[in-house]
Amino acid sequence: MKRIVIVGASSGIGLYAARAFASMGWRVGTAARDIASLEKLCLEFPENILCERLDITSSEAPAALGRLAERLGGMNVYFHVAGIGFDNPGFLPDSDLRTAATNVDGFTRMMDAAWAYFASSGRCGQIAAVTSVAGTMGIGTLASYSASKAYQQHYLQAMRQRAHTLGLPLKVTDIRPGWVLTSLLPGAHSSYPLAMAPDRASRLVVEAVLKGRPVATVDWRWRVVRALWRLLPGPVWTRLRLPDWKLGNHS
């Protein structure tokens, strides 16, 4: 029986993924700050799902991950979904620092803990994380969010390269969704181009974890957008008038 730990499983893509993997017969360890939501999830799948309170911004988070993996009987896949995002057109420090504390510091803490788990065991494993197409370029109103997603993508790339160098049997999967119609996108959803329904986006994310490819952009339309963005010279991107996109909180 395969075993997966999902950090950030209390809502959105993480919650969908927990249900999906449990329905496939996997043993699923779920973790988040909101333990009440996780406990409800455990009641849905009492034979398949375990839960653990875990705050990725806390130095205690790696120990919580270790406890959950032990209770689960091992971990074949570590899946990182936890993250936050805010629009900050005025570059005020509070929200930017909160974003960095979760999406950079917390992300790094959990990536290193997952790496240590698989490196010490020497078993085949997989580290997967949801980043974002926002990491492709720096977005004016979403500076800290887009920068933190770029950081995550480079970090995963570095882990993949290091695993190859060491001959470590570890897959590293970077999953990059575009806009998904969740609570992260406040207000009128019509201002978010190519936005995806949560169920469809989550299904594609779960498929990406199962396929285990190095990079998966969700969906094909966003692969095209991302490719076009990367072709733009820096001065052209600087002059491009993008909408004042807003973000709520959790990604």
Side-chain angles (χ1 to χ4, degrees), residues 42-248:
C42 290
L43 291 175
E44 292 182 42
F45 298 89
E47 302 298 323
N48 296 75
I49 295 183
L50 300 175
C51 60
E52 182 87 22
R53 187 192 302 276
L54 188 154
D55 180 355
I56 66 172
T57 65
S58 168
S59 61
E60 301 299 318
L65 174 62
R67 287 194 302 271
L68 183 54
E70 183 176 359
R71 291 173 56 207
L72 203 60
M75 179 172 65
N76 302 110
V77 180
Y78 172 78
F79 185 28
H80 189 94
V81 190
I84 61 173
F86 304 93
D87 57 287
N88 188 14
F91 294 93
L92 302 176
D94 287 351
S95 61
D96 281 349
L97 292 171
R98 286 178 64 190
T99 299
T102 298
N103 294 0
V104 176
D105 295 356
F107 175 87
T108 305
R109 180 177 289 110
M110 301 313 299
M111 289 299 106
D112 290 359
W115 174 276
Y117 177 89
F118 291 117
S120 62
S121 69
R123 301 174 188 169
C124 293
Q126 181 184 6
I127 295 174
V130 173
T131 65
S132 172
V133 294
T136 306
M137 304 292 280
I139 298 174
T141 58
L142 310 176
S144 58
Y145 183 75
S146 57
S148 70
K149 293 303 178 179
Y151 172 88
Q152 293 176 0
Q153 291 165 9
H154 282 273
Y155 205 92
L156 292 166
Q157 183 181 55
M159 295 183 84
R160 193 180 306 118
Q161 191 274 340
R162 185 59 177 160
H164 177 78
T165 299
L166 297 175
L168 188 65
L170 178 66
K171 293 180 179 179
V172 180
T173 303
D174 176 1
I175 304 170
R176 305 175 180 181
W179 295 127
V180 181
L181 298 176
T182 66
S183 59
L184 183 67
L185 307 183
H189 288 156
S190 60
S191 62
Y192 302 94
L194 308 181
M196 293 172 284
D199 285 356
R200 180 171 183 271
S202 299
R203 176 176 54 79
L204 293 173
V205 167
V206 169
E207 289 177 3
V209 175
L210 292 170
K211 290 177 180 177
R213 294 172 181 164
V215 177
T217 302
V218 176
D219 58 3
W220 70 268
R221 300 169 302 169
W222 283 100
R223 287 196 294 273
V224 174
V225 170
R226 181 171 169 268
L228 292 174
W229 281 0
R230 289 173 63 87
L231 289 174
L232 292 176
V236 174
W237 179 261
T238 299
R239 291 172 173 80
L240 193 63
R241 293 185 64 85
L242 296 172
D244 287 340
W245 289 322
K246 297 183 181 299
L247 294 181

Side-chain angles (χ1 to χ4, degrees), residues 1-73:
M1 181 181 292
K2 292 187 177 181
R3 297 169 173 85
I4 183 171
V5 169
I6 304 173
V7 173
S10 61
S11 64
I13 290 172
L15 178 60
Y16 180 100
R19 289 190 173 118
F21 282 105
S23 298
M24 288 185 277
W26 287 49
R27 290 270 286 168
V28 182
T30 60
R33 287 178 294 185
D34 183 3
I35 194 71
S37 295
L38 296 184
E39 288 171 343
K40 292 178 183 177
L41 182 61
C42 290
L43 291 175
E44 292 182 42
F45 298 89
E47 302 298 323
N48 296 75
I49 295 183
L50 300 175
C51 60
E52 182 87 22
R53 187 192 302 276
L54 188 154
D55 180 355
I56 66 172
T57 65
S58 168
S59 61
E60 301 299 318
L65 174 62
R67 287 194 302 271
L68 183 54
E70 183 176 359
R71 291 173 56 207
L72 203 60

